[in-house]
Amino acid sequence: MPSAMNTIPTMRALAFRPRPATSFRPVVGAKRTCRSFADGRSDKLPEAAKTENSGPNMQQQEHVSEEAAKMAEITGGSGPDMSVGTPVQEILAEEKDERQHAPQVMKDSIKAGNQGAQNSKPSTSRPFSTMARRRAAEDMSSGMAGGEALPTSMIPSAEQRALYAQHQAQPLAPEVVQEEKKGHKFPLPALPLPPNGNKDHRYDPVVSQVTNLLMRDGKKSVAQRNMAVILSTLRTAPPPTYSKARPLLPGAPPAGHLPLHPVLYLTLAIDSIAPLLRIRSQRGAAGGGVALQIPVPLGLRQRRRTAFTWILDAASKRKSRGSGNDQFAGRVAEEIIAVIEGRSGVWEKRAAVHRLGTTARSNLTFGNRGARR
């Protein structure tokens, strides 16, 4: 009678571990040493161990040019020069299937026969010009440049030329002094030198005042760098577009003339929005402690200071387009361009001050009311 107990599930539950082929028997008294792959003996490791520990960018296939050079060395032929790279045009000239996905410039060069930098012939013509033409002095004086008439505002008048020559002229030292002190690149000026002569000729009054307004914590060099960034931005910006609703000062030059003269650009923007007056609140002028709004006229420097203060306030509210030390100077330059184009909110401040001054002009005679009675 067979047994009722089934031994197959019991045998499946048991784990059988095979005996290793070689047994490790430690030697008594021997010191066990472990050697890693970083001790310079990786050349004696088996190939499986080398493959297992290699990175993803290791053991790559050789380049096509390298394979061609080795094949040429074996067969005794002349392969590609490995000191220079293989021109892409040579590969595309042989592979017609890959040529379909190449840029149009390479396709044109292959069709023209220029299949490499060594075989290419220098072209004698260009589809574009890389040299800017300089206008001659007679063209500037006559108002003609390249057959096109220049605007009259861009041509300096005789008075402006004479004034410029007067500023550039500098009295020289006598010839005896020039002969005694030779070796100078430029002729020596006459002595004594004018006081603060360099400062008067090098710096514009508007640039100097704006630089002082930009200065913080006495750091004049930082303010001068910001001023240079502002003028450079105005110089490289495209010509502005004038707004008929916000007219500038009378006699303003054409818009294309402003980027050529960034100092004029800055001066025109400041003087155009500079208010003519300010509102002073005087308490008790009307009696009973009631304050009166009295308009007070401003001088030239006061007007420019108020205008540039408005520009700085508006520029501080703008968002920066990047990062760096020149971001604030860039925002100031953008605000100046917005002032010229009539897009800035500074125009509303100027209009509000003038409206309030027009309304409060009747308060100018408050001191003479008692004498009239």
Side-chain angles (χ1 to χ4, degrees), residues 98-149:
E98 300 295 336
R99 195 187 310 171
Q100 300 177 357
H101 306 285
Q104 188 64 29
V105 179
M106 293 186 179
K107 294 180 182 179
D108 298 340
S109 62
I110 293 174
K111 291 181 180 179
N114 300 331
Q115 299 181 358
Q118 300 176 354
N119 301 328
S120 60
K121 298 181 180 180
S123 178
T124 57
S125 61
R126 292 179 179 177
F128 58 91
S129 176
T130 59
M131 182 179 64
R133 295 182 300 176
R134 297 183 178 180
R135 298 183 176 90
E138 56 271 11
D139 294 339
M140 292 294 295
S141 59
S142 60
M144 299 295 293
E148 299 179 358

Side-chain angles (χ1 to χ4, degrees), residues 43 63 84-85 89 158 160 174 177 182 203 209 231 238 243 254 262-263 265 267 276-277 281 341 361 366:
D43 53 343
H63 195 264
V84 296
Q89 287 85 349
Q160 292 177 347
V177 180
K182 294 182 178 180
Y203 298 102
Q209 184 178 4
L231 295 179
S243 176
V263 178
Y265 204 147
T267 305
L276 299 175
L277 47 90
S281 180
E341 295 182 350
R361 61 184 177 181
F366 71 93

Side-chain angles (χ1 to χ4, degrees), residues 277-295:
L277 47 90
R278 67 180 180 90
I279 305 300
R280 178 171 60 88
S281 180
Q282 183 171 351
R283 299 185 59 182
V290 179
L292 284 182
Q293 305 294 334
I294 301 174

